[in-house]
């Protein structure tokens, strides 16, 4: 069984748990109390030198970085659960294109907005509303491009769901949950909204949405 060292509500921990659910991979969550800074303890950084969560121990094979973990698990179990990464060279290239879209045209803007609006207030810090406004404006044009792509196909890499789509869920859910103008940027674009409702209601995500 895969041992997942992380925090139940962490975005990156839930991404790995989501992939385990999609691929029907049993895992054991070993809690690292992020709020208490346990990921910075010498015993932890001896394994994960950046002091971040999560990492996995797969029968002695240690791997960190949630995107790398997700790819590893999907490729290790290609015929189990949902495929998520295509093997055909052209389909795989379209997947990698979609994965880059998520990393650089979505996460780049959504993650810092979530940090400012959600994570900072939880730590008693003031959010930088000017930064949020700038990032939101930049995100709008990116999501216009999403709308164009999703008007032609069901998912970002074609008509089958991939890791590129699912990678939006942890931070995207936190962003959408802010409500108001943040939810509106999804809801006001019909194809984007259709896609978001599709992926955010997948049983695997619903199973880990509130905790890995």
């Amino acid at each position: 069984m895969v041992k997942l060292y992380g925090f139940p509500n962490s975005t990156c921990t839930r991404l790995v748990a989501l992939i385990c659910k999609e691929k029907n991979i049993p895992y054991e969550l070993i809690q690292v109390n992020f709020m208490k800074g346990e990921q910075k303890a010498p015993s932890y950084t001896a394994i994960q030198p950046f002091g971040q969560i999560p990492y996995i121990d797969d029968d002695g094979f240690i791997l960190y970085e949630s995107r790398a973990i997700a790819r590893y698990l999907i490729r290790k179990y290609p015929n189990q659960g949902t495929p998520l990464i295509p093997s055909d060279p052209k389909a795989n290239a379209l997947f990698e294109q979609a994965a880059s879209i998520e990393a650089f045209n979505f996460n780049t803007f959504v993650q810092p907005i979530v940090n400012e609006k959600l994570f900072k207030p939880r730590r008693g810090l003031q959010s930088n509303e000017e930064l949020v406004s700038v990032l939101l404006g930049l995100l709008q044009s990116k999501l216009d491009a999403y709308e164009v792509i999703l008007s032609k196909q069901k998912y970002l890499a074609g008509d089958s769901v991939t890791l590129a789509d699912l990678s939006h869920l942890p931070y995207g859910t936190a962003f959408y949950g802010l409500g108001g103008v943040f939810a509106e940027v999804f809801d006001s674009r019909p194809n984007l909204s259709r896609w978001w409702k599709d992926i955010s209601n997948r049983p695997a995500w619903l199973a880990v949405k509130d905790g890995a």
Side-chain angles (χ1 to χ4, degrees):
M1 181 181 291
V2 173
K3 294 181 179 178
L4 172 58
Y5 289 78
F7 193 63
N9 294 326
S10 106
T11 51
C12 295
T13 301
R14 282 182 292 146
L15 175 61
V16 175
L18 166 62
I19 299 311
C20 287
K21 293 289 186 182
E22 287 280 355
K23 298 297 291 180
N24 301 321
I25 303 168
Y27 70 91
E28 176 189 1
L29 176 66
I30 299 173
Q31 290 202 37
V32 179
N33 196 322
F34 182 79
M35 305 304 292
K36 292 183 178 180
E38 290 179 357
Q39 78 281 7
K40 300 298 183 182
S43 59
Y44 188 91
T45 57
I47 299 170
Q48 213 292 12
F50 295 97
Q52 298 168 339
I53 55 174
Y55 76 84
I56 62 165
D57 181 341
D58 184 21
D59 194 26
F61 177 64
I62 304 297
L63 187 66
Y64 50 84
E65 292 295 332
S66 59
R67 295 167 192 266
I69 296 170
R71 280 171 163 78
Y72 165 73
L73 293 173
I74 292 166
R75 288 181 170 130
K76 183 176 180 181
Y77 300 96
N79 301 316
Q80 186 170 306
T82 314
L84 295 180
I85 296 179
S87 57
D88 172 79
K90 290 182 179 178
N92 185 263
L94 291 172
F95 155 71
E96 291 294 353
Q97 174 180 266
S100 291
I101 289 170
E102 183 274 327
F104 301 108
N105 292 288
F106 183 83
N107 194 63
T108 296
F109 306 100
V110 169
Q111 182 176 354
I113 290 173
V114 170
N115 182 58
E116 291 294 333
K117 297 295 292 183
L118 187 63
F119 297 155
K120 270 191 173 181
R122 286 179 179 176
R123 301 196 303 270
L125 302 174
Q126 186 71 33
S127 62
N128 183 336
E129 294 299 330
E130 183 177 350
L131 175 60
V132 170
S133 179
V134 170
L135 290 168
L136 190 59
L138 293 170
L139 178 64
Q140 296 274 11
S141 65
K142 304 298 184 181
L143 295 184
D144 286 342
Y146 271 66
E147 181 69 8
V148 172
I149 294 167
L150 293 167
S151 71
K152 301 173 183 178
Q153 57 199 42
K154 191 173 182 181
Y155 299 104
L156 286 177
D159 289 324
S160 296
V161 69
T162 68
L163 172 62
D165 300 291
L166 302 186
S167 294
H168 290 75
L169 285 167
Y171 273 105
T173 298
F175 175 89
Y176 189 85
L178 294 170
V181 65
F182 304 100
E184 181 63 20
V185 299
F186 283 25
D187 295 339
S188 63
R189 296 169 170 85
N191 294 296
L192 178 66
S193 178
R194 181 267 308 159
W195 167 81
W196 180 250
K197 288 175 182 176
D198 181 326
I199 63 170
S200 62
N201 283 290
R202 292 182 70 82
W205 175 242
L206 296 178
V208 301
K209 179 181 176 181
D210 297 322

